[in-house]
Amino acid sequence: VPLKESEAFVLRSGPLGESDRIVTFLTRAAGKIRGVAKGARRSRRRFGANLEPLSLVRLQYFEREGSDLARIETAELLESFFRLQEDPERAAALACVAEVADAFAREEQADEPFFRLVHAVLRAVRAGLAVDPALRYFEIWTLRLHGVLPDLERCGRCAQPLPERGSFYDRREGQAVCGRCDVARGPGAVPLGGGARRAIREILTRAPEALIAAPPAAADLGPLAGMAAAAFADLTEKRLRSYEVLARLRGRG
Ligand SMILES: [Zn+2]
């Protein structure tokens, strides 16, 4: 069995038995990998704190026949985002990034653009990007890279240009529709005005660091959160608990 190697982000890490840890990675070379770090609970000598969520490591592992769990040989720390997580709100936001990445990454299927997105967002947060623009950036690009960001120029039903006011993200169809078409608005409809659509355009055309000095207005980012939450729930069919934690922390849950 050949030893495999890849850069990887730790997405999740939990105890396994008395002495081991089970760890989920987003690897650059092979998408999502789950593996067992033998002895990582009992002794910190081999893995240290390198298996903390969102550490970037050089991962070496063996795939095991008849098992979907790899055996983790080494995880050498390349870049740590651990200090960032001393701030509870930032820690909660980064947990959202890890959970969404876990939900969208495919097992053993490389997704270089998605890997680079996670890296770019973490680095931007470390450079001072605030939690809300960072999360919206990550969410919009996650939808885009997975081919599910709706067309934001034209109505998904009548194909007319979307008006400045009175457009919606229609959750039932996963598309943006104009108010004329959206007469029987469903409970999942999220208003998506001109400001929100401009914020999305800005996100799609700029690096995340570029938003540090001039983030989109909070009022324009708000609807993006609603659209992403609806789209994520529908696409992953999971309850993303990290978002509930963040909302509770902010007193809105
Ligand atoms: Zn329409």
Coordinates of all heavy atoms in Angstrom, one line a residue, residues 68-126:
D68 N -13.1 2.7 4.9 CA -13.1 4.1 4.4 C -12.3 5.0 5.3 O -12.2 6.2 5.1 CB -14.5 4.6 4.2 CG -15.3 4.6 5.5 OD1 -14.8 4.0 6.5 OD2 -16.4 5.2 5.5
L69 N -11.6 4.4 6.3 CA -10.8 5.2 7.2 C -9.3 5.0 6.9 O -8.8 3.8 6.9 CB -11.0 4.8 8.7 CG -12.3 5.2 9.3 CD1 -12.4 4.7 10.7 CD2 -12.4 6.7 9.3
A70 N -8.6 6.1 6.5 CA -7.2 6.0 6.3 C -6.4 5.8 7.6 O -7.0 6.1 8.7 CB -6.8 7.2 5.5
R71 N -5.2 5.4 7.5 CA -4.3 5.5 8.7 C -3.4 6.6 8.5 O -2.6 6.7 7.6 CB -3.5 4.2 8.8 CG -2.9 4.0 10.2 CD -2.1 2.7 10.3 NE -0.7 2.9 9.8 CZ 0.0 2.0 9.2 NH1 -0.5 0.8 9.0 NH2 1.2 2.3 8.9
I72 N -3.4 7.5 9.5 CA -2.7 8.8 9.4 C -1.3 8.5 10.0 O -1.1 8.1 11.1 CB -3.3 9.9 10.2 CG1 -4.7 10.2 9.5 CG2 -2.5 11.2 10.2 CD1 -5.6 10.9 10.4
E73 N -0.3 8.7 9.1 CA 1.1 8.5 9.5 C 1.7 9.8 10.2 O 2.1 9.7 11.3 CB 2.0 8.2 8.3 CG 2.0 6.7 8.0 CD 2.5 5.8 9.1 OE1 3.7 5.9 9.5 OE2 1.6 5.1 9.7
T74 N 1.7 10.9 9.5 CA 2.2 12.1 10.0 C 1.3 13.3 9.6 O 0.6 13.2 8.6 CB 3.6 12.4 9.5 OG1 3.6 12.6 8.1 CG2 4.6 11.4 9.9
A75 N 1.3 14.3 10.4 CA 0.6 15.6 10.0 C 1.5 16.7 10.5 O 1.4 17.2 11.6 CB -0.8 15.6 10.7
E76 N 2.3 17.1 9.6 CA 3.3 18.2 9.9 C 2.6 19.6 9.7 O 2.0 19.8 8.7 CB 4.5 18.0 9.0 CG 5.5 19.1 9.1 CD 6.4 19.2 7.8 OE1 6.4 18.3 7.0 OE2 7.0 20.3 7.7
L77 N 2.7 20.4 10.7 CA 2.0 21.7 10.7 C 2.7 22.6 9.7 O 3.9 22.9 9.7 CB 2.0 22.3 12.1 CG 1.1 23.6 12.2 CD1 -0.3 23.2 12.1 CD2 1.4 24.2 13.6
L78 N 1.9 23.1 8.7 CA 2.4 24.1 7.8 C 1.9 25.5 8.1 O 2.6 26.5 8.0 CB 1.9 23.8 6.4 CG 2.3 22.4 5.8 CD1 1.6 22.2 4.4 CD2 3.8 22.4 5.6
E79 N 0.7 25.6 8.6 CA 0.1 26.9 8.9 C -1.0 26.7 9.9 O -1.8 25.9 9.7 CB -0.5 27.5 7.6 CG -0.3 29.0 7.4 CD -0.8 29.5 6.1 OE1 -0.5 28.8 5.1 OE2 -1.4 30.5 6.0
S80 N -0.9 27.5 10.9 CA -1.9 27.4 12.0 C -2.9 28.6 12.0 O -2.4 29.7 11.8 CB -1.2 27.3 13.4 OG -2.1 27.4 14.4
F81 N -4.1 28.3 12.2 CA -5.1 29.4 12.3 C -5.7 29.3 13.7 O -6.8 29.7 14.0 CB -6.2 29.3 11.2 CG -5.6 29.4 9.9 CD1 -5.2 28.4 9.1 CD2 -5.4 30.7 9.4 CE1 -4.6 28.5 7.9 CE2 -4.8 30.9 8.1 CZ -4.4 29.8 7.4
F82 N -4.9 28.7 14.6 CA -5.4 28.4 16.0 C -5.5 29.7 16.8 O -6.5 29.9 17.5 CB -4.3 27.5 16.6 CG -4.8 26.8 17.9 CD1 -5.9 26.1 17.9 CD2 -4.1 27.0 19.1 CE1 -6.4 25.5 19.0 CE2 -4.6 26.4 20.2 CZ -5.7 25.6 20.2
R83 N -4.6 30.6 16.7 CA -4.7 31.8 17.5 C -5.9 32.7 17.1 O -6.5 33.3 18.0 CB -3.4 32.7 17.2 CG -2.1 32.1 17.7 CD -1.9 32.2 19.2 NE -2.2 33.6 19.8 CZ -1.3 34.5 19.9 NH1 0.0 34.3 19.6 NH2 -1.6 35.7 20.5
L84 N -6.3 32.6 15.9 CA -7.5 33.3 15.4 C -8.7 32.9 16.3 O -9.6 33.7 16.4 CB -7.8 32.9 14.0 CG -7.1 33.6 12.9 CD1 -7.7 33.1 11.6 CD2 -7.3 35.1 13.0
Q85 N -8.7 31.6 16.7 CA -9.9 31.1 17.3 C -9.9 31.4 18.8 O -10.8 30.9 19.5 CB -9.9 29.6 17.0 CG -10.0 29.3 15.5 CD -10.0 27.9 15.1 OE1 -10.8 27.1 15.6 NE2 -9.1 27.5 14.2
E86 N -9.0 32.2 19.3 CA -9.1 32.7 20.7 C -10.3 33.6 20.8 O -10.9 33.8 21.9 CB -7.8 33.4 21.1 CG -6.7 32.4 21.3 CD -5.3 33.0 21.4 OE1 -5.3 34.3 21.4 OE2 -4.3 32.3 21.5
D87 N -10.7 34.3 19.8 CA -11.9 35.2 19.8 C -13.1 34.3 19.6 O -13.1 33.6 18.5 CB -11.7 36.2 18.7 CG -13.0 37.0 18.6 OD1 -13.5 37.6 19.6 OD2 -13.6 37.0 17.5
P88 N -14.0 34.2 20.5 CA -15.1 33.3 20.4 C -16.0 33.4 19.1 O -16.4 32.4 18.5 CB -16.0 33.5 21.6 CG -15.2 34.4 22.5 CD -14.1 35.0 21.8
E89 N -16.2 34.7 18.7 CA -17.1 34.9 17.5 C -16.3 34.4 16.3 O -16.9 33.8 15.4 CB -17.4 36.4 17.4 CG -18.5 36.6 16.4 CD -18.9 38.0 16.3 OE1 -19.0 38.7 17.3 OE2 -19.1 38.5 15.2
R90 N -15.0 34.7 16.2 CA -14.3 34.3 15.1 C -14.2 32.7 15.1 O -14.2 32.1 14.0 CB -12.9 34.9 15.1 CG -12.5 35.5 13.8 CD -11.1 36.0 13.7 NE -11.0 37.3 14.5 CZ -10.0 37.6 15.2 NH1 -9.0 36.7 15.4 NH2 -9.9 38.7 15.8
A91 N -14.0 32.2 16.3 CA -13.9 30.7 16.4 C -15.2 30.1 15.9 O -15.2 29.1 15.1 CB -13.7 30.3 17.8
A92 N -16.4 30.7 16.2 CA -17.6 30.1 15.8 C -17.8 30.3 14.3 O -18.3 29.4 13.6 CB -18.8 30.9 16.5
A93 N -17.3 31.4 13.7 CA -17.4 31.6 12.3 C -16.5 30.6 11.5 O -16.9 30.1 10.5 CB -17.0 33.0 11.9
L94 N -15.3 30.4 12.1 CA -14.4 29.4 11.4 C -15.0 28.0 11.5 O -14.8 27.2 10.6 CB -13.0 29.5 12.0 CG -12.3 30.9 11.7 CD1 -10.9 30.9 12.2 CD2 -12.4 31.3 10.2
A95 N -15.7 27.7 12.6 CA -16.4 26.4 12.7 C -17.4 26.3 11.6 O -17.6 25.2 11.1 CB -17.0 26.2 14.1
C96 N -18.0 27.4 11.2 CA -19.0 27.3 10.1 C -18.3 27.0 8.8 O -18.8 26.2 8.0 CB -19.7 28.7 9.9 SG -20.7 29.2 11.3
V97 N -17.1 27.6 8.6 CA -16.3 27.3 7.4 C -16.0 25.8 7.3 O -16.2 25.1 6.3 CB -15.0 28.2 7.3 CG1 -14.1 27.7 6.2 CG2 -15.4 29.6 7.1
A98 N -15.5 25.3 8.5 CA -15.1 23.9 8.5 C -16.4 23.0 8.3 O -16.3 22.0 7.5 CB -14.5 23.6 9.9
E99 N -17.5 23.3 8.8 CA -18.7 22.4 8.7 C -19.2 22.5 7.3 O -19.6 21.4 6.7 CB -19.8 22.8 9.7 CG -20.9 21.8 9.7 CD -22.0 22.1 10.8 OE1 -22.0 23.2 11.3 OE2 -22.7 21.1 11.1
V100 N -19.2 23.6 6.6 CA -19.7 23.7 5.3 C -18.7 23.0 4.3 O -19.1 22.3 3.4 CB -19.8 25.2 4.8 CG1 -20.0 25.3 3.3 CG2 -21.0 25.9 5.6
A101 N -17.4 23.2 4.6 CA -16.4 22.5 3.8 C -16.6 21.0 3.9 O -16.5 20.2 2.9 CB -15.0 22.9 4.2
D102 N -16.9 20.5 5.1 CA -17.1 19.1 5.3 C -18.3 18.6 4.6 O -18.4 17.5 4.0 CB -17.3 18.9 6.9 CG -17.3 17.4 7.2 OD1 -17.0 16.5 6.4 OD2 -17.6 17.1 8.4
A103 N -19.4 19.5 4.5 CA -20.6 19.1 3.9 C -20.5 19.1 2.4 O -21.1 18.3 1.7 CB -21.8 20.0 4.3
F104 N -19.7 19.9 1.8 CA -19.6 20.1 0.3 C -18.4 19.3 -0.3 O -18.5 18.9 -1.5 CB -19.4 21.5 -0.1 CG -20.8 22.2 -0.2 CD1 -21.4 22.8 0.9 CD2 -21.4 22.3 -1.4 CE1 -22.6 23.4 0.9 CE2 -22.6 23.0 -1.5 CZ -23.2 23.5 -0.4
A105 N -17.4 19.0 0.5 CA -16.2 18.3 -0.1 C -16.6 16.9 -0.4 O -17.4 16.2 0.3 CB -15.0 18.3 0.8
R106 N -16.1 16.4 -1.5 CA -16.4 15.0 -1.9 C -15.2 14.1 -1.5 O -14.1 14.5 -1.6 CB -16.6 14.8 -3.4 CG -17.7 15.7 -4.0 CD -18.9 14.8 -4.3 NE -19.9 15.6 -5.0 CZ -19.9 15.7 -6.3 NH1 -18.9 15.2 -7.0 NH2 -20.8 16.4 -6.9
E107 N -15.6 12.9 -1.0 CA -14.5 12.0 -0.6 C -13.7 11.5 -1.8 O -14.2 11.2 -2.8 CB -15.1 10.8 0.1 CG -15.8 11.3 1.4 CD -16.0 10.2 2.4 OE1 -15.6 9.1 2.2 OE2 -16.6 10.5 3.5
E108 N -12.4 11.6 -1.6 CA -11.4 11.2 -2.5 C -11.6 11.7 -3.9 O -11.5 11.0 -4.9 CB -11.4 9.6 -2.5 CG -10.9 9.1 -1.2 CD -10.8 7.6 -1.1 OE1 -10.4 7.0 -2.1 OE2 -11.1 7.1 0.0
Q109 N -12.0 13.0 -4.0 CA -12.1 13.7 -5.2 C -11.5 15.1 -5.1 O -12.1 15.9 -4.4 CB -13.6 13.8 -5.6 CG -13.9 14.2 -7.0 CD -15.4 14.1 -7.3 OE1 -16.0 13.1 -7.0 NE2 -15.9 15.1 -8.0
A110 N -10.4 15.3 -5.8 CA -9.7 16.6 -5.6 C -10.6 17.7 -6.1 O -11.4 17.6 -7.1 CB -8.4 16.6 -6.5
D111 N -10.5 18.8 -5.4 CA -11.3 20.0 -5.7 C -10.4 21.2 -5.4 O -10.5 21.9 -4.3 CB -12.6 20.1 -5.0 CG -13.5 21.2 -5.4 OD1 -13.0 22.1 -6.1 OD2 -14.7 21.2 -5.0
E112 N -9.4 21.5 -6.3 CA -8.4 22.5 -6.0 C -9.0 23.9 -5.8 O -8.6 24.6 -4.9 CB -7.4 22.5 -7.2 CG -6.4 23.6 -7.3 CD -5.2 23.4 -6.4 OE1 -5.0 22.2 -6.0 OE2 -4.5 24.3 -6.0
P113 N -10.0 24.3 -6.6 CA -10.5 25.7 -6.3 C -11.2 25.8 -5.0 O -11.0 26.8 -4.3 CB -11.6 25.8 -7.5 CG -11.1 24.9 -8.5 CD -10.5 23.7 -7.8
F114 N -11.8 24.7 -4.5 CA -12.5 24.8 -3.2 C -11.4 24.8 -2.1 O -11.6 25.5 -1.1 CB -13.4 23.6 -3.0 CG -14.4 23.7 -1.9 CD1 -15.1 24.9 -1.6 CD2 -14.5 22.7 -1.0 CE1 -16.0 25.0 -0.5 CE2 -15.4 22.7 0.1 CZ -16.1 23.9 0.3
F115 N -10.4 24.0 -2.3 CA -9.3 24.0 -1.3 C -8.7 25.4 -1.2 O -8.4 26.0 -0.1 CB -8.2 23.0 -1.7 CG -7.1 22.9 -0.8 CD1 -7.1 21.9 0.3 CD2 -5.9 23.7 -0.9 CE1 -6.1 21.8 1.2 CE2 -4.9 23.5 0.0 CZ -5.0 22.6 1.0
R116 N -8.5 26.1 -2.4 CA -7.9 27.4 -2.4 C -8.8 28.4 -1.8 O -8.4 29.4 -1.1 CB -7.5 27.8 -3.8 CG -6.3 27.1 -4.4 CD -5.6 28.0 -5.4 NE -6.5 28.5 -6.4 CZ -6.7 28.0 -7.6 NH1 -6.1 26.9 -8.0 NH2 -7.6 28.5 -8.4
L117 N -10.1 28.2 -2.0 CA -11.1 29.1 -1.3 C -11.0 29.1 0.2 O -10.9 30.2 0.8 CB -12.5 28.8 -1.8 CG -13.7 29.5 -1.0 CD1 -13.7 31.0 -1.3 CD2 -15.0 28.9 -1.4
V118 N -11.0 27.9 0.7 CA -10.8 27.8 2.2 C -9.6 28.5 2.7 O -9.6 29.3 3.6 CB -10.8 26.3 2.6 CG1 -10.5 26.2 4.1 CG2 -12.1 25.6 2.3
H119 N -8.5 28.3 2.0 CA -7.2 28.9 2.4 C -7.3 30.4 2.3 O -6.8 31.1 3.2 CB -6.1 28.3 1.5 CG -4.7 28.4 2.1 ND1 -3.6 28.1 1.4 CD2 -4.3 28.9 3.3 CE1 -2.5 28.3 2.2 NE2 -3.0 28.8 3.3
A120 N -7.8 30.9 1.2 CA -7.9 32.4 1.0 C -8.7 33.0 2.1 O -8.4 34.1 2.6 CB -8.4 32.7 -0.4
V121 N -9.8 32.4 2.4 CA -10.7 33.0 3.4 C -10.1 33.0 4.8 O -10.1 34.0 5.5 CB -12.1 32.3 3.4 CG1 -12.9 32.7 4.7 CG2 -12.9 32.6 2.2
L122 N -9.4 31.9 5.1 CA -8.7 31.9 6.4 C -7.6 32.9 6.5 O -7.5 33.6 7.5 CB -8.1 30.5 6.7 CG -9.1 29.3 6.9 CD1 -8.3 28.0 7.0 CD2 -9.9 29.6 8.1
R123 N -6.9 33.1 5.4 CA -5.8 34.0 5.4 C -6.4 35.5 5.5 O -5.8 36.3 6.2 CB -4.9 33.9 4.2 CG -4.0 32.7 4.3 CD -3.1 32.6 3.1 NE -1.9 31.9 3.4 CZ -1.0 31.6 2.5 NH1 -1.1 32.0 1.3 NH2 0.1 30.9 2.9
A124 N -7.5 35.7 4.9 CA -8.1 37.0 4.9 C -8.6 37.3 6.3 O -8.4 38.5 6.8 CB -9.2 37.1 3.9
V125 N -9.2 36.4 7.0 CA -9.6 36.6 8.4 C -8.4 36.9 9.2 O -8.4 37.8 10.1 CB -10.4 35.4 8.9 CG1 -10.7 35.5 10.4 CG2 -11.7 35.2 8.1
R126 N -7.3 36.2 9.0 CA -6.1 36.4 9.8 C -5.6 37.8 9.5 O -5.0 38.5 10.4 CB -5.1 35.4 9.5 CG -3.9 35.5 10.4 CD -2.9 34.3 10.3 NE -2.5 34.2 8.9 CZ -1.9 33.0 8.4 NH1 -1.8 32.0 9.1 NH2 -1.6 33.0 7.2

